[in-house]
């Protein structure tokens, strides 16, 4: 803030014309009022985590007086929820180590009355800027948004559970009816219709299971059961199964890993099925889907390549976000909820691996998995 005109001699302002000083003071006061009344909390940290500026909005949002927080260090005296201290400190450390990078995080801060609220934090390291010399962060209260998200996920969880019972019954009756018609040498047409129904029920079941997995991931309740299995046989079994389901494409396997993994076989099968089925879905006119297996630097590498339309570069990271679907995909089979790749990446991350995509529009896409070889 500029020094008060009334406390400074006229010689302090020699470069300004009459009236300009007051205009500058008015502008400074106006800017000060903007900052102090902004909806978000603005905090500026020193490099060691000490707060040297705190906007007045902290009182309105969290109940703390500015004087209670200025001079405090979040590494030694945070007002963070005990379960989220590590997340907030990691947020600041990321900003400290990466000048000019925009860093983001979500965690809970504690109000003075002992309650807590969810905060969306955005920070930027401007320690090198001579007029700032600090890490500027904004904290936005997103408690209402998070509560709405929780209610939505609970609804999805309950609805998915309720849907599984009638879907299971419907599948059972469909299969029984199909067998009865086959035993009585019925016309092929009704049997074909029942086969189509059975496949659509399987598709609906996968969608329901994916929705349940999304809610489990959000609640950190995803269940895993690790067992030892041979990777190459595992891949071959999945490809053989899917080849029968999708005879229009030829699924080609190349390479071997000669590796044994201790991992959740069913969850990894879920990932592989998702990747191969996506390759089939998004390359309807292609003849081949290639699956390559190898081992390198202590990791199993699996590549699933299609020869479809490819994914434009701006969307290649977004496709792993929850509920995200690439716009303007005009393939006839592009329906879906946009959660399969989100769930797949979470499963691979749990196994300390990586899942990524390389793609060129018009040349197809290659989804790759890297899993550390671990036998226990």
């Amino acid at each position: 803030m500029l020094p008060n005109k009334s406390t400074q001699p006229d010689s302090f302002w020699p470069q300004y014309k009459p009236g300009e000083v007051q205009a500058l003071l008015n502008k400074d006061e106006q800017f000060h009022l903007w900052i102090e009344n902004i909806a978000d909390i603005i905090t500026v940290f020193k490099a060691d985590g000490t707060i040297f500026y705190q906007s007045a909005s902290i009182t309105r949002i969290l109940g703390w007086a500015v004087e209670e927080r200025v001079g405090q260090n979040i590494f030694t005296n945070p007002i963070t929820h005990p379960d989220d201290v590590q997340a907030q400190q990691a947020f600041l450390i990321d900003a400290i180590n990466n000048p000019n990078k925009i860093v983001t995080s979500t965690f809970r801060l504690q109000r003075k009355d002992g309650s807590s609220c969810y905060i969306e934090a955005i920070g930027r390291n401007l320690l090198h800027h001579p007029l700032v010399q600090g890490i500027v962060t904004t904290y936005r209260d997103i408690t209402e948004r998070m509560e709405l998200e929780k209610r939505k996920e609970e609804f999805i969880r309950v609805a998915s559970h309720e849907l599984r019972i009638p879907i299971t019954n419907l599948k059972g009756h469909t299969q029984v009816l199909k067998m009865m018609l086959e035993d009585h040498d019925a016309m092929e047409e009704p049997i074909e219709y029942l086969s189509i129904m059975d496949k659509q029920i399987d598709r609906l079941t996968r969608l329901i299971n994916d929705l349940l997995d999304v809610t489990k991931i959000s609640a950190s309740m995803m269940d895993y059961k690790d067992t030892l299995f041979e990777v190459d046989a595992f891949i071959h079994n999945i490809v053989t199964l899917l080849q029968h389901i999708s005879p229009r494409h030829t699924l080609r396997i190349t390479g071997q890993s000669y590796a044994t993994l201790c991992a959740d076989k069913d969850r990894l099968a879920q990932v592989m099925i998702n990747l191969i089925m996506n390759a089939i879905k998004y390359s309807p006119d292609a003849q081949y889907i290639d699956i390559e297996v190898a081992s390198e630097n202590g990791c199993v590498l699996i590549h699933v390549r299609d020869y479809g339309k490819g994914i434009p570069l701006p969307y290649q990271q977004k496709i792993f976000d929850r509920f995200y679907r690439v716009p303007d995909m005009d393939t006839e089979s592009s329906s879906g909820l946009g959660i399969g790749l989100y769930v797949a990446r979470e499963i691979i991350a749990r196994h300390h691996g990586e899942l990524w995509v390389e793609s060129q529009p018009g040349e197809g896409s290659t989804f790759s998995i890297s899993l550390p070889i671990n036998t226990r």
Side-chain angles (χ1 to χ4, degrees):
M1 182 180 294
L2 291 170
N4 193 316
K5 175 68 166 68
S6 62
T7 63
Q8 298 295 331
D10 290 340
S11 59
F12 186 86
W13 312 91
Q15 69 272 37
Y16 297 105
K17 297 178 181 178
E20 288 183 343
V21 172
Q22 189 58 49
L24 286 171
L25 291 172
N26 290 342
K27 283 286 186 183
D28 182 66
E29 183 63 22
Q30 183 184 50
F31 180 74
H32 178 75
L33 288 171
W34 287 343
I35 294 298
E36 294 303 306
N37 288 281
I38 197 169
D40 299 339
I41 301 171
I42 298 178
T43 306
V44 184
F45 295 95
K46 295 180 181 179
D48 63 355
T50 300
I51 299 169
F52 74 85
Y53 173 80
Q54 184 71 76
S55 66
S57 51
I58 192 173
T59 305
R60 182 176 67 257
I61 297 173
L62 298 177
W64 299 93
V66 171
E67 298 78 23
E68 292 178 287
R69 294 308 301 160
V70 171
Q72 299 296 328
N73 189 296
I74 71 158
F75 292 111
T76 57
N77 188 23
I79 56 171
T80 316
H81 189 283
D83 294 339
D84 295 350
V85 168
Q86 187 175 359
Q88 188 193 27
Q89 292 180 352
F91 162 76
L92 190 60
I93 290 170
D94 190 14
I96 291 170
N97 293 333
N98 296 281
N100 278 325
K101 175 187 175 183
I102 303 296
V103 296
T104 61
S105 185
T106 301
F107 44 79
R108 288 166 292 177
L109 293 181
Q110 291 185 309
R111 300 186 181 97
K112 193 171 183 178
D113 63 8
S115 62
S116 61
C117 65
Y118 282 93
I119 293 293
E120 181 180 65
I122 302 175
R124 187 178 182 187
N125 182 343
L126 294 175
L127 288 164
H128 58 284
H129 196 294
L131 297 180
V132 181
Q133 298 182 2
I135 300 166
V136 182
T137 65
T138 59
Y139 291 161
R140 173 164 294 180
D141 185 351
I142 58 168
T143 305
E144 186 175 345
R145 186 202 309 172
M146 294 295 289
E147 292 298 327
L148 180 62
E149 187 74 15
K150 284 183 179 179
R151 290 197 296 271
K152 182 177 69 175
E153 289 178 354
E154 179 63 14
F155 170 79
I156 293 173
R157 185 188 68 80
V158 172
S160 299
H161 273 295
E162 292 298 320
L163 284 169
R164 292 182 80 173
I165 297 173
I167 289 296
T168 301
N169 289 335
L170 184 59
K171 182 174 179 63
H173 285 92
T174 300
Q175 291 177 333
V176 169
L177 185 56
K178 182 183 175 185
M179 286 188 294
M180 290 174 63
L181 291 174
E182 289 173 340
D183 289 342
H184 288 82
D185 296 325
M187 296 173 58
E188 291 186 5
E189 189 175 15
I191 295 175
E192 183 181 351
Y193 287 154
L194 287 170
S195 297
I196 294 171
M197 285 178 58
D198 194 42
K199 290 180 180 179
Q200 292 303 311
I201 290 170
D202 287 341
R203 180 166 171 259
L204 184 56
T205 301
R206 287 195 297 270
L207 290 174
I208 292 171
N209 289 336
D210 282 346
L211 282 171
L212 279 171
D213 284 342
V214 167
T215 60
K216 288 177 183 178
I217 290 169
S218 299
S220 299
M221 294 175 61
M222 196 81 151
D223 52 323
Y224 294 92
K225 297 178 181 178
D226 293 345
T227 58
L228 277 172
F229 62 93
E230 295 181 359
V231 174
D232 298 333
F234 164 74
I235 297 295
H236 276 268
N237 288 338
I238 291 174
V239 170
T240 301
L241 171 67
L242 296 181
Q243 184 66 82
H244 289 299
I245 297 174
S246 303
R248 282 201 309 170
H249 294 74
T250 299
L251 308 183
R252 304 185 298 190
I253 303 178
T254 57
Q256 295 186 76
S257 68
Y258 304 101
T260 300
L261 284 182
C262 182
D264 190 315
K265 188 176 181 180
D266 291 337
R267 289 294 183 187
L268 292 182
Q270 180 181 346
V271 173
M272 287 303 304
I273 291 170
N274 179 275
L275 296 183
I276 296 173
M277 293 302 291
N278 277 353
I280 292 169
K281 180 167 68 172
Y282 291 108
S283 57
D285 300 324
Q287 182 178 357
Y288 299 108
I289 302 295
D290 287 329
I291 300 95
E292 181 184 352
V293 187
S295 59
E296 182 179 307
N297 299 325
C299 292
V300 171
L301 297 177
I302 305 169
H303 307 285
V304 178
R305 181 180 181 185
D306 67 59
Y307 297 89
K309 295 187 176 182
I311 304 167
L313 183 60
Y315 307 128
Q316 290 180 18
Q317 288 304 313
K318 294 180 181 180
I319 59 174
F320 295 101
D321 293 344
R322 185 173 59 168
F323 302 125
Y324 185 83
R325 297 183 63 220
V326 177
D328 302 325
M329 290 293 286
D330 57 359
T331 176
E332 61 182 10
S333 304
S334 63
S335 59
L337 299 178
I339 54 181
L341 289 175
Y342 166 76
V343 172
R345 176 169 273 189
E346 289 293 326
I347 292 172
I348 296 300
R350 184 270 177 193
H351 289 87
H352 309 292
E354 294 182 64
L355 170 61
W356 70 96
V357 64
E358 297 175 46
S359 184
Q360 291 289 336
E363 299 180 12
S365 304
T366 300
F367 284 83
S368 299
I369 298 171
S370 173
L371 289 169
I373 297 174
N374 178 18
T375 57
R376 61 174 183 170

